[in-house]
Amino acid sequence: MKISDLTIEEVKLFCRAEGEAEEDILFAAIMDAGKQFIQSQTGMSEEEIDTKADLTLAFLMLAADMYENRTYTILTSGKTPNINPAASAIINQYCRIIL
């Protein structure tokens, strides 16, 4: 299955999200961000990522992580909150080193 063929309902099902219609806006944003993240990480176009079946699974896993961890900081085994790794990876793609 291609990433572009996935529907909001299929992504919600993979994420085990309950069927609230209000969440459709959230899932639309997650899907857009997930596609953009994969394109940025791979340098591939939307058409190219659709030719790689394994990227569909990676996209679903990324969407599930984005859904489950919707805050900028997350708690790990310690008491100190850490920056959400997905948020950090997305932001770091756009960092510019200024010397």
Side-chain angles (χ1 to χ4, degrees):
M1 176 176 270
K2 299 176 184 178
I3 293 173
S4 63
D5 289 341
L6 291 170
T7 65
I8 288 175
E9 290 305 317
E10 291 167 330
V11 175
K12 285 170 74 172
L13 181 65
F14 184 85
C15 294
R16 297 183 181 138
E18 298 300 319
E20 298 296 323
E22 297 83 35
E23 287 193 333
D24 287 358
I25 294 170
L26 171 63
F27 275 96
I30 286 172
M31 291 173 71
D32 288 343
K35 281 185 225 175
Q36 180 63 45
F37 183 73
I38 290 172
Q39 287 176 270
S40 295
Q41 288 292 301
T42 62
M44 298 172 144
S45 68
E46 189 169 343
E47 293 77 24
E48 289 173 311
I49 65 173
D50 268 348
T51 66
K52 311 293 182 194
D54 53 347
L55 286 179
T56 302
L57 182 57
F59 170 82
L60 289 168
M61 293 164 54
L62 181 60
D65 186 64
M66 289 178 170
Y67 177 70
E68 289 295 322
N69 300 297
R70 289 175 271 176
T71 59
Y72 184 67
T73 57
I74 57 174
L75 291 176
T76 55
S77 59
K79 300 236 182 221
T80 306
N82 294 315
I83 295 174
N84 182 326
S88 182
I90 291 168
I91 293 167
N92 287 341
Q93 292 181 110
Y94 299 101
C95 286
R96 296 181 184 167
I97 298 174
I98 301 173
L99 300 175

